[in-house]
């Protein structure tokens, strides 16, 4: 081998070594991976958990395949005030479809939604909500519904912050999702919301691909239309991914019990219970909305995201409670 | 920098370069990735499809995220003769539980299964099969059922080949699964069988992790037993992942339409139709059991895996039909 060749191959190898280091080492965060979290016991407890389960040879080490983390969506990853985003979508859908349904202007429950918008939804019964969902979310094939959601998100605006809803996601939680993934976790969304309302944008916004989004769903029917097979959304509930449905939903999707769960309301209670009751190291975390200035302050008496039982039991069960006002340096993505 | 240090770092870099090459290059198959397939038009068509969808800048290029491949299990990945493996499990479960249920020896449909084994199952109605599934597959928590399946597989033996059932998987299909994954595909199982009957071993045997196994399921109920939250399997069907249920099942799990589907019976017809009706390059493939010597020869008149309509329509729809006898060099994994 000539010296020249030796040098060339050494230089190429050096480049390769740099590349390799960046491929094999723990993903390098320029700085703090949880930069939007204040230095608090909550942040330290999260980091300590991740360090313990990833420490090869340590007593709490968890293999990558079992590093499953489940996140509620509404109120945990994005704002659910003044109402759930999907409720805002539903109201807009009723208004958009009203022209095709002239009878709605005199017919409940549509009449009150058309006339009073959000205010008109507070008094709806569950049965009436299901009726509106059936009229606005079903009948089309699954691809068409996805486009409707995508189109709506490009134009809809949050009433208080005048931003697209996908900017109303919590910056500290985006960092937490990324931090967990960088440490070998598979991050799932486990939401009471419609799975097909979340999947079109969850990867772009949260980095969570469609197959890791679990939610409520309607039944679909396979049929042929003009010789082409399609899946038509039916006005029938297939699965409610809320409360006791959440452990069921994530187990059905992942085939494993998560080792970490993140929620903000009593709808996440069973998910937190089931997740943290498993053997080995476990993490349960509740986002407590305590910041009326930057976001909202609510728990026991809220229309959306009522939190009482899970908050009361958190200390005894070892669940972390995020005090949004004091634990978060930044709240929303658009404030980054 | 001293010469010695320079040499050391160059040598380390050279090692890194070798590692890097093996990490970044297309996974190296010592030889032919589909070595158990004879050189035939079927094999060439499969390879051509994979080359087209992975050719960056080519007209048929498909991004990695959309490379979803769906495989039926019974008769496509492992043998379904003389009966479905889960039917053999069910028969053994009835016999194992008979001691706890002395009434079964005089009570149908259990009596005929206890007395006649497999022969006793041919005349069962769907209602009776569901009754036996309810009695043998439910009532326990999901973790306990997983252990029952795992334990059974370590002792059960195929009646003709006297091997564990997990050795009755098709070597050419194992190679196809690995070949697709090596080319950026996410491989899913989409089976009429019970999802929790497959998940405990699908990763070990097929390289398909639990979250990529889609199947039929029973409902579960979250409850607390002795203060611990558990998911109890209920004697109620939640989802039948067969026929029109298959496109529904894979869409529900993956949130995407596959670009390739692999089946062997009319139970896979709708999955093949829906998969191959999408835009862009598509692959549909049917395993036709034509080898009575090495495996079985059957299609239109079989107890398991009846194949008629899908076979008849295959040419017009452009689906490949594997002639097991002539297309496969090796059939089973244990013959490797």
């Amino acid at each position: 081998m000539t010296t020249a060749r030796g040098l060339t191959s050494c230089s190429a190898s050096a480049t390769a070594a740099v590349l390799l280091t960046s491929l094999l080492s723990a993903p390098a965060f320029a700085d703090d991976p949880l930069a939007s979290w204040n230095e608090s016991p909550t942040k330290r407890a999260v980091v300590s958990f991740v360090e313990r389960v990833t420490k090869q040879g340590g007593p709490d080490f968890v293999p990558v395949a079992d590093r499953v983390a489940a996140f509620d969506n509404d109120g945990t990853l994005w704002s659910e005030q003044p109402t759930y985003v999907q409720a805002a979508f539903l109201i807009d859908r009723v208004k958009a479809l009203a022209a095709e349904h002239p009878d709605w202007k005199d017919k409940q429950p549509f009449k009150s939604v058309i006339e009073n918008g959000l205010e008109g939804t507070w008094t709806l019964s569950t049965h009436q909500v299901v009726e509106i969902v059936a009229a606005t979310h079903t009948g089309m094939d699954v691809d068409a519904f996805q486009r409707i959601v995508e189109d709506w998100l490009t134009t809809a605006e949050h009433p208080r912050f005048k931003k697209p809803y996908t900017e109303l996601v919590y910056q500290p939680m985006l960092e937490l999702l990324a931090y967990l993934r960088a440490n070998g976790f598979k991050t799932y969304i486990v939401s009471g919301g419609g799975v097909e309302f979340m999947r079109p944008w969850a990867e772009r916004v949260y980095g969570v691909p469609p197959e890791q989004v679990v939610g409520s769903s309607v039944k679909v029917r396979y049929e042929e239309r003009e010789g082409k097979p399609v899946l038509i959304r039916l006005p029938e509930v297939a699965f409610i991914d809320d409360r006791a449905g959440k452990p069921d939903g994530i187990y059905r999707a992942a085939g494993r019990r998560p080792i970490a769960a993140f929620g903000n309301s009593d709808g996440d209670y069973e998910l937190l219970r089931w997740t943290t009751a498993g053997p080995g190291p476990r993490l349960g975390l509740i986002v407590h909305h305590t910041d009326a200035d930057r976001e909202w302050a609510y728990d026991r008496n809220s229309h959306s995201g009522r939190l009482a039982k899970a908050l009361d039991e958190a200390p005894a069960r070892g669940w972390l409670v995020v005090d949004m006002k004091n634990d978060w340096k930044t709240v929303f993505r658009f404030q980054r």
Side-chain angles (χ1 to χ4, degrees), chain A residues 119-320:
Chain A
E119 297 300 315
T121 67
W122 297 139
T123 53
L124 296 178
S125 68
T126 304
H127 177 80
Q128 288 178 310
V129 172
V130 170
E131 191 180 345
I132 301 179
V133 169
T136 58
H137 283 53
T138 72
M140 68 293 282
D141 79 42
V142 294
D143 297 335
F145 184 71
Q146 181 168 328
R147 284 191 299 273
I148 291 169
V149 172
E150 284 167 351
D151 289 348
W152 179 78
L153 278 173
T154 60
T155 55
E157 199 174 72
H158 188 276
R160 173 172 163 193
F161 293 100
K162 312 293 178 199
K163 302 274 179 193
Y165 285 101
T166 49
E167 290 293 322
L168 273 280
V169 301
Y170 304 127
Q171 180 62 22
M173 297 306 282
L174 291 178
E175 293 169 6
L176 184 52
L177 282 163
Y179 173 60
L180 289 171
R181 287 193 293 263
N183 281 283
F185 279 77
K186 193 165 250 194
T187 52
Y188 281 84
I189 291 170
V190 182
S191 167
V195 65
E196 290 186 337
F197 180 72
M198 297 179 284
R199 281 178 165 174
W201 52 272
E203 183 149 27
R204 176 170 50 85
V205 175
Y206 297 136
V208 177
E211 66 271 22
Q212 285 159 230
V213 179
V214 181
S216 299
S217 57
V218 295
K219 292 188 179 175
V220 304
R221 183 177 56 226
Y222 170 96
E223 58 182 61
E224 300 200 9
R225 291 195 171 176
E226 296 165 7
K228 286 198 79 168
V230 287
L231 296 179
I232 302 297
R233 292 170 58 81
L234 303 181
E236 271 180 84
V237 170
F239 185 69
I240 298 290
D241 189 58
D242 198 22
R243 301 187 173 269
K246 289 202 173 198
D248 184 357
I250 182 64
Y251 186 71
R252 213 167 275 281
R256 290 184 172 98
R257 190 197 300 235
I259 64 165
F262 305 85
N264 78 300
S265 79
D266 285 352
D268 306 311
Y269 176 81
E270 288 84 354
L271 177 65
L272 286 161
R273 282 296 310 278
W274 190 63
T275 299
T276 57
R282 302 278 152 172
L283 179 66
L285 182 148
I286 294 170
V287 175
H288 190 196
H289 295 261
T290 52
D291 195 330
D293 293 332
R294 296 187 300 172
E295 204 241 8
W296 274 270
Y298 62 97
D299 44 43
R300 289 167 206 279
N301 300 306
S302 176
H303 273 300
S304 322
R306 183 172 179 278
L307 172 67
K309 186 179 181 186
L311 188 63
D312 294 339
E313 295 188 14
R317 303 212 176 273
W319 299 338
L320 301 175

Side-chain angles (χ1 to χ4, degrees), chain A residues 99-112:
Chain A
E100 297 170 31
H101 299 272
D103 55 315
W104 283 2
K105 69 176 194 299
D106 302 310
K107 185 180 163 190
Q108 293 296 5
F110 305 97
K111 181 177 191 295
S112 90

Side-chain angles (χ1 to χ4, degrees), chain A residues 43 47 83 93 177 256 294:
Chain A
K43 176 177 180 174
V47 172
T83 189
R93 286 285 292 157
L177 282 163
R256 290 184 172 98
R294 296 187 300 172

Side-chain angles (χ1 to χ4, degrees), chain A residues 7-22:
Chain A
L7 279 172
T8 306
S9 95
C10 178
S11 160
S13 297
T15 310
V18 170
L19 275 168
L20 181 67
T21 305
S22 74

